[in-house]
Each structure stands twice: as C-alpha cells, then as structure tokens.
Amino acid sequence: MTTSASVPAGPDGAIAGHGTVTDRLVDANERYAAAFTDPGMDARPVLHVAIVACMDARLDLHAALGLELGDCHTIRNAGGVVTDDVIRSLTISQRKLGTRSIVLIHHTGCGLEAITEDFRTDLEMEVGQRPAWAVESFRDVDQDVRQSMQRVRTSPFLLHTNDVRGFVFDVRTGLLREIDPG
C-alpha cells in the first residue's frame, strides 16, 4: 500500500515529477468524477449523528467507526475543540438536518498537548496582529473531552443534548476509550 507519506515531495511542496500536491488532488478528483454516480442522498445523515473530531491526519473516522457515505456529519478542527463555530455547525446539523446524537473524539498524542497559548503571542510578534481565536491547548486529554461535552450540553442553541458522548482515540491501537463526563 502506498501512503501519501511515501510520495517524495520537493522543497516547494511539489510532488516529484507531478506538480503540486493540489495538482495531484485535482487529478485524483478527475479520476473519481469519471466513475462517479450520484448516490441520490440529501444532506441529512442517515444515522442522525454529528461527530466532532480533531483534524489529525491519522484519524480515519469512517474506517474506525464503520461509517459509510451519508451516515454522519463530520466536523473537524485542531484538537476537536468545541468552539463557537463548532456549536454553529452542530446547531445547523440538529435544527435543519435532523441529527440527534453527538460524538466527540479527541486522540492520544495530539499536537495541542505540545503547545501553549503563547503560540498566539508568538504569532502576534511575527505578523503584528494577535489572533482573535484561542489556541485551546491542553495537558489532559480526558479533561479536555469532559470540557467539550460540557460545552455541548450547556449550549442554548442545541435542541438535543441528552445523547452526547466523548471518546479518546488511541492512535497506536485504533481503539476508542469512552470518557466519563464526571
């Protein structure tokens, strides 16, 4: 099996002999579209679930959870943090597209455990403007999942907060470990 990590890239991000990474993705899309058949679905997830997870490239959520196209809404960001924008997406998912359950997935070895809020200060020093957003770094992944569950459960915009569960995905074993909300 060839992985993206095994594809040689030059210093400018170009794939050796094949243009940029984006060129490679566009080429892949053309091959995909040539065989594409409209599945006849709408935007409502079949399983009525929304998943909030980290953007980490090691998490293949569909494979890890046995999901198929159309089963869920997937919302991803650095750390799987429940930000205002995640609440916005969950609100639309519930109120307009019928989801009822929310699954939160953080993971072991997250990059947010290795940085601090000083990252914002460093950016300000570099570019001359402080980011309006928080880094949302953390030291204890279990506690961060609990905080995420609490943010979802206390949001006044979400209609369905009785089926909110949080997990930590182990990047070495592929197993989920459920977190007690405490």
Side-chain angles (χ1 to χ4, degrees):
M1 178 172 102
T2 302
T3 65
S4 297
S6 65
V7 177
D12 60 355
I15 301 297
H18 300 290
T20 68
V21 171
T22 304
D23 291 335
R24 179 176 161 218
L25 298 175
V26 170
D27 290 345
N29 174 256
E30 288 173 4
R31 290 188 301 278
Y32 172 80
F36 183 79
T37 303
D38 180 358
M41 300 176 180
D42 68 13
R44 296 176 184 276
V46 172
L47 298 178
H48 306 287
V49 64
I51 299 170
V52 178
C54 185
M55 66 185 191
D56 192 295
R58 296 172 290 180
L59 277 65
D60 183 349
L61 295 174
H62 276 74
L65 301 174
L67 296 168
E68 300 293 332
L69 181 67
D71 282 348
C72 69
H73 284 159
T74 307
I75 304 159
R76 295 181 78 157
N77 66 23
V81 175
V82 177
T83 61
D84 287 345
D85 194 56
V86 168
I87 294 294
R88 178 187 72 86
S89 293
L90 289 172
T91 301
I92 293 166
S93 178
Q94 284 191 352
R95 291 178 176 264
K96 296 299 181 185
L97 298 166
T99 59
R100 299 292 180 260
S101 300
I102 298 172
V103 174
L104 306 171
I105 301 177
H106 289 36
H107 66 92
T108 58
C110 185
L112 285 185
E113 292 175 288
I115 64 176
T116 67
E117 293 296 323
D118 290 339
F119 180 71
R120 293 173 70 220
T121 303
D122 296 343
L123 281 172
E124 180 180 19
M125 298 301 290
E126 180 183 331
V127 303
Q129 181 178 343
R130 187 170 187 84
W133 40 263
V135 174
E136 298 273 359
S137 60
F138 56 88
R139 296 282 177 251
D140 181 339
V141 68
D142 290 18
Q143 181 55 34
D144 202 59
V145 172
R146 283 186 200 95
Q147 176 177 295
S148 293
M149 285 190 280
Q150 185 66 15
R151 285 180 178 174
V152 168
R153 288 186 172 135
T154 59
S155 172
F157 307 110
L158 298 173
L159 296 172
H160 307 284
T161 58
N162 58 336
D163 188 12
V164 177
R165 293 171 65 184
F167 300 85
V168 174
F169 177 87
D170 188 314
V171 297
R172 291 197 170 100
T173 67
L175 288 172
L176 289 176
R177 178 173 50 83
E178 188 159 8
I179 301 302
D180 184 343

